[in-house]
Amino acid sequence: MSLRQASGLSDGFLTLGIETSCDDTATAVLKDDQVLTELLSSQIKDHAPFGGVVPEFAARKHLENILPLVDAALKEAGVAAKKLNLIAVTLGPGLMGSLMVGVETARALSQAWNVPLIGVNHLEGHMFAPLVDSDLKPPFLSLIVSGGHTEIIRVDDFGRYSMLGATRDDAAGEAYDKAAKVMGLSYPGGPEIDRLAKEGNPRAFDFPVPLKNTDRVEFSFSGLKTALLWQVDKLKKSGNVPLPDLCASFQRAVTDALIAKVVLAVKQTGIKDVAVSGGVAANSALRKALEDGRQWKPHLPRPSRCTDNAVMIAMAGRNAWRRGVRSPSALAPDPSLEFAS
Ligand code: KG4
Ligand code: ZN
């Protein structure tokens, strides 16, 4: 036991978070639950010309970015590497090449600095994003709406999660990205549609709200994209494609579909605290609809922490460590890592 520990003096528990599951390289340092630094190198501009993420290109970019971002985060936080208490890294789900860069880097640093390492499920990470600036404790409902996932999870305790329902086909973020492509907008589509929708009429087009009235927590967005495609084709023939109205109407349909199932999940479980995360949680219409809801209390991360970031990975890793979860030393990335069942 060190003198510092023996005397009861503590600098706080220092966690380095590393996230590389898709196209953002991110690092963060936490002292207990307080964020000391958060850094992110976005690859959006690199992938935009291809209309989506190119996996091999993403892995190469992570490799260029990761060590400088770890260094910069520690410097900015004023933390010496060997003082870290934990390194938390995203294990999956995600792109294999991207995950590998993060996990292998974290493993090497853990050995070199003699700091314990924990693997984090990317979705559990998202689940923790709304908890960073709040003291929300379980039980609560977690709506995760990202580029790859759309699901509502019941959180009875940290580490005790059950899936209430998920999307049958496309994720909400994927629907935004595909809709943007149909309308000739740039990647990623969500922020573009959000921006243009502000100038449009959400009732201009009557897009279907998928599965709105079923009594199951479930989503489907592929039919909505097809309805948009037909509408755009028809409008092109008429020579007038009112993008703001199309965006506002599409956004209304996605938002209504999400809110309908939040209402249902709250009703079915009696749990009123709803934590929302993932890239689509940055959407202004969804945020407003959640904040206007009377049957629940929304918990939303700041927009920059809705999309992928390392603060949420550090938070989730720190929480799992505290409840006794330990990762095997031969930590390996898993692109299709499951979360909740
Ligand atoms: O959580 P995230 O960064 O990555 C995944 O884990 O998938 O989410 C990215 C997704 C993209 O599909 C993007 O279009 C969407 O989140 N997104 C938005 C907004 N900002 C990002 N969708 C709607 N409105 C936004 N403001
Ligand atoms: Zn994500």
Side-chain angles (χ1 to χ4, degrees):
M1 190 181 284
S2 73
L3 200 60
R4 184 173 291 276
Q5 282 167 322
S7 66
L9 276 176
S10 165
D11 286 333
F13 191 95
L14 294 165
T15 309
L16 168 68
I18 296 178
E19 154 65 35
T20 66
S21 67
C22 189
D23 59 341
D24 290 319
T25 322
T27 57
V29 180
L30 300 190
K31 181 179 182 179
D32 296 321
D33 290 340
Q34 183 202 343
V35 181
L36 296 182
T37 353
E38 53 189 310
L39 298 176
L40 185 132
S41 172
S42 166
Q43 300 179 12
I44 283 180
K45 285 206 182 86
D46 301 307
H47 296 279
F50 305 101
V53 177
V54 183
E56 283 187 10
F57 193 27
R60 218 176 329 136
K61 280 279 161 191
H62 284 308
L63 209 48
E64 282 169 22
N65 293 335
I66 188 71
L67 284 176
L69 273 187
V70 168
D71 261 354
L74 291 174
K75 254 195 210 103
E76 217 174 90
V79 167
K82 295 202 168 169
K83 288 257 167 142
L84 285 169
N85 298 97
L86 184 66
I87 300 174
V89 65
T90 306
L91 267 195
L95 300 171
M96 185 51 161
S98 294
L99 291 166
M100 207 140 78
V101 174
V103 173
E104 289 307 320
T105 304
R107 284 185 62 186
L109 296 178
S110 153
Q111 289 197 359
W113 297 337
N114 197 22
V115 174
L117 177 63
I118 191 164
V120 174
N121 187 305
H122 183 75
L123 295 172
E124 188 173 13
H126 274 304
M127 204 196 85
F128 270 86
L131 307 183
V132 179
D133 296 320
S134 115
D135 51 11
L136 175 65
K137 301 264 182 310
F140 61 86
L141 297 176
S142 171
L143 168 66
I144 301 178
V145 271
S146 70
H149 295 265
T150 297
E151 44 212 44
I152 300 184
I153 292 155
R154 177 187 173 125
V155 180
D156 284 300
D157 199 354
F158 290 122
R160 212 147 64 78
Y161 312 126
S162 41
M163 180 77 70
L164 295 182
T167 180
R168 290 181 180 184
D169 39 59
D170 292 350
E174 193 179 354
Y176 271 106
D177 295 338
K178 287 179 174 171
K181 224 176 205 169
V182 166
M183 292 185 282
L185 303 173
S186 59
Y187 173 84
E192 278 289 282
I193 291 178
D194 198 350
R195 190 176 56 78
L196 282 162
K198 292 198 168 74
E199 317 290 318
N201 172 8
R203 302 273 158 206
F205 299 98
D206 190 20
F207 291 126
V209 178
L211 304 177
K212 182 174 182 176
N213 296 317
T214 68
D215 60 359
R216 276 202 301 235
V217 177
E218 57 184 350
F219 305 93
S220 166
F221 294 106
S222 66
L224 181 55
K225 177 202 62 197
T226 310
L228 175 76
L229 187 65
W230 284 345
Q231 191 63 62
V232 170
D233 274 354
K234 211 160 86 185
L235 290 165
K236 272 185 183 158
K237 283 181 195 128
S238 77
N240 174 29
V241 183
L243 284 180
D245 285 349
L246 282 168
C247 288
S249 303
F250 176 83
Q251 184 170 270
R252 178 196 48 78
V254 175
T255 304
D256 285 358
L258 294 171
I259 292 293
K261 298 307 173 180
V262 169
V263 172
L264 183 64
V266 169
K267 199 168 134 202
Q268 283 181 351
T269 61
I271 299 174
K272 292 194 168 14
D273 284 299
V274 181
V276 189
S277 53
V280 180
N283 184 266
S284 54
L286 179 62
R287 293 177 82 88
K288 179 157 188 340
L290 286 163
E291 275 154 6
D292 287 349
R294 295 190 174 271
Q295 297 118 296
W296 60 81
K297 183 165 182 243
H299 301 267
L300 288 156
R302 56 181 76 169
S304 64
R305 293 200 193 121
C306 290
T307 42
D308 293 346
N309 65 85
V311 171
M312 67 186 199
I313 301 303
M315 281 287 286
R318 157 88 176 117
N319 185 287
W321 186 262
R322 201 161 27 195
R323 56 180 201 261
V325 177
R326 298 292 179 265
S327 293
S329 56
L331 201 61
D334 182 350
S336 45
L337 191 63
E338 295 277 335
F339 180 60
S341 49

